[in-house]
Amino acid sequence: MTYPHGKRLSGPGHGKVVAAVIGLVTVLGLGTLGEAHAAPPASEAGAVSPSGWADRPHGFASLAGGTWGGAGGKVVTVTDQAALAKYAAAPEPYVIRVKGSITAQPFGASIEVASDKTIVGVGATGELVQGEFHLSPGTHNVIIRNLTIRDSAVEGNWDCKDTDFDGIQMDTVHHVWVDHNRFSNICDGQLDVRKDSEYVTVSYNRFENNNKTFGLGWTTNVKTQITIDHNWFRGTKQRNPSVDNAAYAHLYNNYLTAQADPGDPVWTYGNWSRGATKMVIENSYYRDVQHPYQADTTAELVQRGSILHNTTGRHDEWGAAFDPRDFYAYRLDPAAAVPALVTRLSGPQKQIGAH
């Protein structure tokens, strides 16, 4: 299923002026403006909740009808696996508040998430341990945010080729927003956006301590549209992300640092545009990264405005890719502000899900 493209929400001059003003103040000091950055104007990144954080997604997940999750449905608070699984798989819309730590049983157990759901951690306490959220084909309109998803790794099994324990796995879904989560020590992919998934935004997450971090594709079709912004990749080896056969992949203001692989230090990498992917990277920051961005000869990759600090290996740029502003408006922070900004604002936040 392919949906109509979005329209420009404002002229290109508007975005540049906003970026210049906000970016300058951000560089000079991450005070209250840091909070404002997480809650940009409704015309650019969704409506602003009373807590001061945007409660609707920006980027591709905001197009073609948008993504609102369980809004309008019942609000429930869960503290155990049975309740989480019950409400997540229900046919009705729900806003599911996860309070405290839930350890999935058996190890690697999957929580099935149906359409029209918001799953949100309460403050910074909500977490799923040794389990996975799974979105089956056809699932749509899902928000997963403000959670820690951790510790499904099998000790001594760095490659995890014989398991499929992901943090979040989705297959051929549409309209999904993954925001302000922390992924750590997952056996396989921390976040896998598989097959022909469309209209996805992945924002303000922390990806830590992993081998296969964030993969997209596993399809011969070229349909996926995805926005990836303000995420922190640290202590990860590969797929940061790897994007295979995506129609449009927009990566901006991400922070990549401290790659790790105890077994194969020769093969670590950052962003990879694969297959027929069209990728645009803007104003990101790469520190101590091998192969920060690379592209297959069949793919396209446009990079502009990023900062490279102590990087080696491939820095591929070819093709025209696309102009993200043909689809949506967005605010671009200066690359120099990214380390402080993303370090502070990525991952679970006390203000989100508190009410």
Side-chain angles (χ1 to χ4, degrees):
M1 183 182 298
T2 301
Y3 299 84
H5 292 157
K7 302 289 187 181
R8 286 184 188 264
L9 299 183
S10 59
H14 169 79
K16 290 179 180 178
V17 170
V18 172
V21 174
I22 299 297
L24 177 60
V25 181
T26 303
V27 170
L28 294 177
L30 293 172
T32 56
L33 189 64
E35 303 299 333
H37 183 277
S43 63
E44 292 195 14
V48 177
S49 71
S51 65
W53 298 84
D55 61 5
R56 289 203 303 268
H58 52 282
F60 278 114
S62 70
L63 303 184
T67 304
W68 60 93
K74 292 182 180 179
V75 179
V76 295
T77 300
V78 301
T79 58
D80 60 71
Q81 181 179 353
L84 175 60
K86 171 187 173 182
Y87 291 115
E92 305 87 3
Y94 276 102
V95 175
I96 304 165
R97 302 171 72 245
V98 179
K99 187 175 183 180
S101 181
I102 295 175
T103 299
Q105 298 290 343
F107 189 93
S110 180
I111 304 294
E112 190 69 27
V113 182
S115 299
D116 305 322
K117 300 294 182 296
T118 296
I119 304 176
V120 57
V122 176
T125 70
E127 60 179 13
L128 178 65
V129 182
Q130 68 183 40
E132 166 189 308
F133 289 109
H134 184 261
L135 284 64
S136 294
T139 302
H140 57 276
N141 188 34
V142 171
I143 297 171
I144 300 176
R145 67 190 312 224
N146 212 50
L147 291 164
T148 292
I149 303 170
R150 63 176 176 86
D151 293 338
S152 65
V154 177
E155 187 175 355
N157 188 356
W158 178 245
D159 282 334
C160 287
K161 291 184 179 295
D162 53 351
T163 68
D164 194 23
F165 298 159
D166 294 329
I168 299 175
Q169 183 185 108
M170 58 190 81
D171 284 347
T172 315
V173 304
H174 64 90
H175 290 94
V176 177
W177 184 28
V178 179
D179 175 72
H180 276 101
N181 301 291
R182 181 174 74 91
F183 299 86
S184 181
N185 198 34
I186 304 296
C187 195
D188 194 30
Q190 295 190 325
L191 174 59
D192 278 1
V193 181
R194 296 159 51 100
K195 306 296 176 63
D196 300 327
S197 297
E198 297 189 83
Y199 295 98
V200 178
T201 295
V202 177
S203 55
Y204 289 95
N205 300 283
R206 292 190 180 191
F207 297 92
E208 305 171 347
N209 308 320
N210 222 70
N211 180 3
K212 304 168 187 175
T213 309
F214 178 7
L216 296 91
W218 297 276
T219 177
T220 58
N221 300 317
V222 184
K223 299 179 68 173
T224 297
Q225 309 93 344
I226 189 164
T227 302
I228 302 166
D229 70 280
H230 295 91
N231 300 285
W232 187 6
F233 299 84
R234 64 173 184 172
T236 57
K237 174 188 176 182
Q238 58 180 313
R239 303 181 186 174
N240 297 296
S242 166
V243 185
D244 185 28
N245 282 339
Y248 305 107
H250 182 204
L251 287 64
Y252 68 95
N253 288 148
N254 295 297
Y255 184 33
L256 286 78
T257 186
Q259 290 173 308
D261 183 355
D264 182 16
V266 174
W267 183 236
T268 60
Y269 65 87
N271 311 140
W272 192 352
S273 181
R274 305 177 62 180
T277 294
K278 293 182 179 179
M279 177 181 288
V280 174
I281 300 171
E282 297 182 284
N283 287 28
S284 292
Y285 197 108
Y286 302 83
R287 183 192 300 274
D288 304 324
V289 176
Q290 181 177 231
H291 309 306
Y293 42 85
Q294 58 188 332
D296 292 353
T297 57
T298 53
E300 299 181 25
L301 192 158
V302 169
Q303 188 288 131
R304 48 182 173 254
S306 298
I307 291 177
L308 304 171
H309 179 81
N310 192 31
T311 64
T312 59
R314 294 175 61 174
H315 302 69
D316 299 337
E317 297 181 54
W318 48 69
F322 66 103
D323 183 354
R325 295 192 188 277
D326 286 340
F327 296 88
Y328 52 80
Y330 59 99
R331 185 167 63 222
L332 197 60
D333 289 301
V338 164
L341 183 68
V342 172
T343 298
R344 178 182 174 190
L345 296 180
S346 64
Q349 305 289 318
K350 291 181 179 179
Q351 298 93 327
I352 300 177
H355 304 288

